[in-house]
């Protein structure tokens, strides 16, 4: 009983990295729990307010304690009566079927609990970081990090957690296949998946921006080192090229020329968007500052500023559009193998930034 | 005066320098021809709401390429009117809704910032601009 419950309070993020292994263990625990009739113990630890499962559990225990002994009592007599054997077999099958269904439901419950746990951990991390950077400033609320209140943002954060997991998996895969032998068709499908994965992030960000554009712009969903490079809610496309370029095999003259052009186009597009953002800041400041001094009412200024701020969502979307197009153009220029190396380099770059963030954070905490 | 539309004609090959710098104000009261004219006589024109930041982005991007586009800024109260006029002109492949900001190249609707950005990154934009004579080099 105690040994099983320890599985449910895993060390940080074990569930994320070893889901398959965990499931195996949970499956075992499930069996032993059934026989003991103590399934509710671990459940209460992990999902205290889940009534549905608790109902299942009460059924379980009644079945386990009342049903089983009864069957054992009949053991001796049934062997001589074929119809009784048939009945027992049928009962057995039925019990097994129910057990399988319960197991399935149980595993599903565990899966949702796991997701909840991940989400809670992320929230905890962020709350810790915010406390770290903002201190206990009086204006914590006015910073606009209302993610616990906003369901769109909560969903985004969870999706982003999964996104990073999936990216880590893809990077591993690319790393493995690039060291071994793989044919171009298989490699191409890996590369296209990795590209699609980035595009998926842009889609997620676009709906998150609708929910709370300030949150997306703040980069609070990323680690601190990634945030350091933040430009309109994400990475700079020109940074992406800088990261990729040293990792290519020999480029042909045409490819070199194309890459140079792309670099320049990227820079121009970035500059244009940056200037647009500056203009937005100017007009917003003008809006807010407009009107007579000491008027008392802020309503007209706030209303017109709200209208101006709508543009912020388009900026996030345009910046992602630029990232999208840059990735795609890069893929057009490169061969499949080069693109695979490029995507691996990019993925490892982000992984290193994330590692840097956590190392830095722990280094910072040590002196106190 | 209600609902004026000003067109800062910063670039136009056929006009003199002095004229091209003068902001052009035009009234479109029941006169779609004026909008059509402005669109047709400029190699590249950006049309958007007054003070629109995305317009600014498009203009800056084109300026970076060496094209100085005309910019038509529309006041909010005239938006519907101008949009319906725009929908009658130069839409590639027949009608369709025009979204602001809209870029017209060679008198035809080219698209919004999305299209400008995508063609810019893929390297298709400059040849198109050269084709309509907005860019020589």
């Amino acid at each position: 009983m105690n040994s099983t419950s320890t599985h449910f309070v895993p060390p940080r993020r074990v569930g994320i990295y070893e889901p398959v292994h965990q499931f195996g263990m949970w499956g075992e625990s499930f069996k032993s729990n059934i026989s003991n009739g103590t399934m509710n113990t671990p459940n209460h630890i992990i999902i205290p307010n889940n009534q549905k499962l608790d109902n299942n559990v009460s059924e379980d225990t009644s079945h386990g304690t009342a049903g089983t002994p009864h069957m054992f009592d009949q053991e001796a007599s049934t062997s001589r009566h074929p119809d009784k054997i048939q009945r027992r077999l049928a009962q057995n099958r039925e019990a097994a079927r129910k057990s399988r269904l319960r197991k399935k439901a149980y595993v599903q419950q565990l899966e949702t609990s796991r997701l909840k746990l991940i989400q809670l951990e992320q929230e905890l991390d962020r709350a810790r970081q915010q406390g770290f950077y903002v201190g206990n400033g009086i204006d914590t609320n006015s910073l606009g990090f209302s993610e616990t209140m906003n369901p769109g943002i909560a969903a985004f954060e969870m999706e982003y957690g999964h996104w990073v997991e999936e990216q880590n998996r893809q990077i591993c895969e690319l790393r493995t296949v690039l060291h071994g032998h793989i044919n171009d068709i298989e490699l191409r499908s890996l590369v296209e998946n990795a590209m699609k994965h980035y595009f998926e992030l842009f889609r997620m960000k676009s709906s998150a921006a609708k929910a709370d554009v300030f949150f997306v712009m703040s980069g609070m969903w990323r680690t601190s080192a990634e945030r350091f490079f933040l430009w309109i809610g994400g990475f700079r496309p020109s940074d992406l090229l800088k990261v990729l370029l040293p990792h290519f095999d020999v480029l042909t003259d045409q490819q070199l020329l194309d890459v140079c052009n792309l670099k320049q186009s990227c820079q121009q597009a970035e500059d244009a968007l940056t200037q647009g953002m500056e203009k937005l800041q100017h007009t917003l400041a003008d809006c807010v500052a407009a009107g007579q001094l000491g008027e008392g009412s802020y309503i007209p200024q706030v209303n017109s500023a709200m209208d101006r701020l709508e543009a912020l969502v388009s900026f996030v979307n345009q910046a992602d559009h630029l990232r999208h197009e840059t990735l795609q153009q890069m893929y057009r220029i490169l061969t499949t193998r080069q693109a695979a190396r490029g995507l691996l380099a990019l993925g490892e770059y982000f992984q290193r930034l994330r590692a840097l963030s956590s190392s830095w954070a722990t280094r910072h905490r040590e002196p106190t | 005066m209600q609902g004026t539309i000003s067109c800062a004609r910063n670039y136009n090959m056929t006009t003199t320098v002095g004229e091209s710098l003068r902001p052009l104000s035009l009234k479109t009261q029941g006169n779609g021809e004026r909008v059509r004219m402005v669109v047709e006589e400029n190699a590249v024109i950006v049309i958007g709401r007054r003070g629109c930041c995305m317009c600014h982005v498009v203009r800056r991007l084109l300026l970076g390429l060496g094209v100085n586009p005309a910019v038509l800024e529309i006041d909010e109260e005239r938006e519907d009117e101008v949009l319906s006029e725009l929908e009658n002109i130069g839409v590639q492949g027949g009608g369709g809704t025009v979204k602001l900001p809209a870029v017209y190249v060679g008198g035809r609707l080219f698209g919004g910032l999305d299209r400008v950005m995508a063609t810019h990154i893929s390297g298709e934009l400059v040849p198109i601009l050269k084709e309509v004579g907005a860019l020589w080099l």
Side-chain angles (χ1 to χ4, degrees):
Chain A
M1 190 171 133
N2 280 336
S3 66
T4 54
S5 61
T6 52
H7 294 317
F8 297 92
V9 196
R12 285 172 46 82
R13 300 192 188 253
V14 161
I16 304 177
Y17 299 112
E18 300 181 307
V20 179
H21 179 53
Q22 282 286 321
F23 269 46
M25 280 177 10
W26 286 340
E28 291 306 312
S29 336
F30 175 79
K31 278 174 207 154
S32 56
N33 277 336
I34 291 285
S35 55
N36 294 338
T38 54
M39 240 177 88
N40 50 352
T41 317
N43 287 335
H44 277 304
I45 290 173
I46 192 161
I47 22 172
N49 52 357
N50 197 319
Q51 302 224 321
K52 195 177 150 204
L53 190 64
D54 281 351
N55 289 342
N56 282 346
V57 168
S58 53
E59 272 176 35
D60 272 336
T61 42
S62 61
H63 196 273
T65 49
T68 318
H70 179 62
M71 285 198 288
F72 279 116
D73 286 342
Q74 294 181 337
E75 180 88 24
S77 53
T78 46
S79 53
R80 271 169 250 124
H81 301 278
D83 57 326
K84 280 192 176 176
I85 292 174
Q86 286 302 322
R87 216 176 67 199
R88 255 193 62 192
L89 283 176
Q91 274 177 344
N92 233 338
R93 272 196 297 275
E94 181 60 15
R97 197 180 66 85
K98 275 185 184 163
S99 166
R100 276 194 300 276
L101 285 175
R102 276 198 306 274
K103 181 175 177 183
K104 202 174 154 195
Y106 178 61
V107 168
Q108 273 166 358
Q109 292 287 354
L110 281 180
E111 174 67 5
T112 31
S113 315
R114 190 176 74 93
L115 296 184
K116 270 185 204 157
L117 191 66
I118 292 169
Q119 199 190 340
L120 282 175
E121 275 180 346
Q122 283 173 347
E123 263 168 37
L124 192 67
D125 268 3
R126 218 178 6 267
R128 223 180 256 145
Q129 278 181 344
Q130 268 179 42
F132 202 58
Y133 290 112
V134 181
N136 290 320
I138 42 163
D139 59 350
T140 320
N141 284 329
S142 61
L143 279 174
F145 302 132
S146 51
E147 68 272 18
T148 45
M149 315 288 275
N150 192 327
I153 293 303
F156 169 71
E157 296 199 287
M158 205 159 95
E159 276 186 303
Y160 182 67
H162 295 308
W163 188 90
V164 172
E165 268 179 65
E166 171 62 17
Q167 198 199 23
N168 288 337
R169 195 194 60 74
Q170 288 184 348
I171 293 165
C172 271
E173 206 173 2
L174 274 176
R175 201 181 285 136
T176 319
V177 298
L178 279 173
H179 283 304
H181 294 285
I182 184 172
N183 66 45
D184 272 7
I185 297 162
E186 283 173 274
L187 193 60
R188 179 188 299 270
S189 88
L190 281 182
V191 166
E192 273 166 10
N193 274 342
M195 297 273 289
K196 270 189 213 137
H197 196 53
Y198 280 106
F199 301 161
E200 173 62 14
L201 177 62
F202 301 148
R203 188 203 57 73
M204 281 157 47
K205 279 171 69 186
S206 160
S207 47
K210 266 186 222 139
D212 184 355
V213 68
F214 279 120
F215 179 80
V216 176
M217 293 273 301
S218 75
M220 285 312 286
W221 43 287
R222 301 207 134 166
T223 61
S224 31
E226 286 174 293
R227 253 196 326 267
F228 179 62
F229 292 97
L230 202 70
W231 174 80
I232 320 190
F235 58 82
R236 271 176 188 274
S238 60
D239 278 353
L240 174 152
L241 294 178
K242 273 180 218 148
V243 171
L244 296 192
L245 281 178
H247 296 281
F248 293 135
D249 307 334
V250 195
L251 293 173
T252 65
D253 286 350
Q254 183 60 46
Q255 282 180 322
L256 267 177
L257 184 69
D258 288 343
V259 169
C260 268
N261 284 337
L262 177 58
K263 234 164 117 182
Q264 203 196 353
S265 306
C266 241
Q267 196 62 57
Q268 286 168 331
E270 267 176 46
D271 289 348
L273 277 172
T274 305
Q275 284 165 335
M277 281 291 275
E278 278 165 14
K279 180 168 176 170
L280 179 62
Q281 284 183 341
H282 276 297
T283 52
L284 193 64
D286 286 348
C287 264
V288 175
Q292 297 287 311
L293 200 64
E295 249 177 12
S297 164
Y298 302 138
I299 294 164
Q301 287 83 7
V302 169
N303 281 346
S304 73
M306 295 274 281
D307 289 344
R308 302 275 174 191
L309 264 185
E310 297 279 321
L312 209 49
V313 181
S314 341
F315 271 102
V316 171
N317 290 339
Q318 275 307 329
D320 276 341
H321 179 58
L322 178 59
R323 292 176 191 112
H324 179 283
E325 294 300 316
T326 307
L327 277 170
Q328 207 142 46
Q329 179 67 10
M330 205 68 210
Y331 183 43
R332 270 182 225 129
I333 295 172
L334 299 172
T335 65
T336 308
R337 190 158 286 269
Q338 285 168 334
R341 288 177 63 91
L343 285 165
L344 177 59
L346 192 64
E348 286 191 338
Y349 176 70
F350 289 126
Q351 277 184 333
R352 286 173 196 177
L353 281 181
R354 289 195 277 267
L356 172 64
S357 305
S358 58
S359 302
W360 180 257
T362 44
R363 184 203 89 113
H364 219 123
R365 276 173 205 160
E366 269 163 11
T368 58
Chain B
M1 186 200 289
Q2 59 107 18
T4 56
I5 298 168
S6 70
C7 173
R9 217 158 16 144
N10 296 319
Y11 176 85
N12 192 325
M13 295 192 326
T14 57
T15 50
T16 61
V17 176
E19 195 189 344
S20 72
L21 289 175
R22 186 164 50 85
L24 191 123
S25 104
L26 67 154
K27 287 167 239 169
T28 59
Q29 195 82 54
N31 185 2
E33 288 308 304
R34 289 294 276 152
V35 176
R36 180 191 290 269
M37 223 179 76
V38 175
V39 167
E40 278 174 2
E41 74 184 11
N42 287 282
V44 181
I45 184 168
V46 182
I47 303 175
R49 294 187 189 98
R50 184 171 302 283
C52 162
C53 295
M54 283 300 161
C55 265
H56 190 69
V57 173
V58 179
R59 184 164 168 267
R60 282 288 160 183
L61 188 58
L62 290 169
L63 277 174
L65 296 177
V67 177
N68 193 352
V71 177
L72 183 65
E73 294 197 310
I74 308 170
D75 285 321
E76 212 174 316
E77 59 264 35
R78 306 300 296 271
E79 197 180 309
D80 292 339
E81 189 189 328
V82 175
L83 274 180
S84 66
E85 282 164 16
L86 284 176
E87 267 159 31
N88 295 324
I89 31 170
V91 182
Q92 281 167 325
T97 49
V98 178
K99 273 192 190 163
L100 295 181
V103 181
Y104 283 78
V105 175
R108 293 178 146 260
L109 178 64
F110 183 70
L113 179 54
D114 273 0
R115 175 98 200 276
V116 174
M117 206 63 117
T119 49
H120 171 63
I121 292 299
S122 66
E124 295 162 279
L125 184 59
V126 168
I128 291 170
L129 292 173
K130 280 180 185 163
E131 207 175 287
V132 297
L135 202 61
W136 290 330
L137 292 174

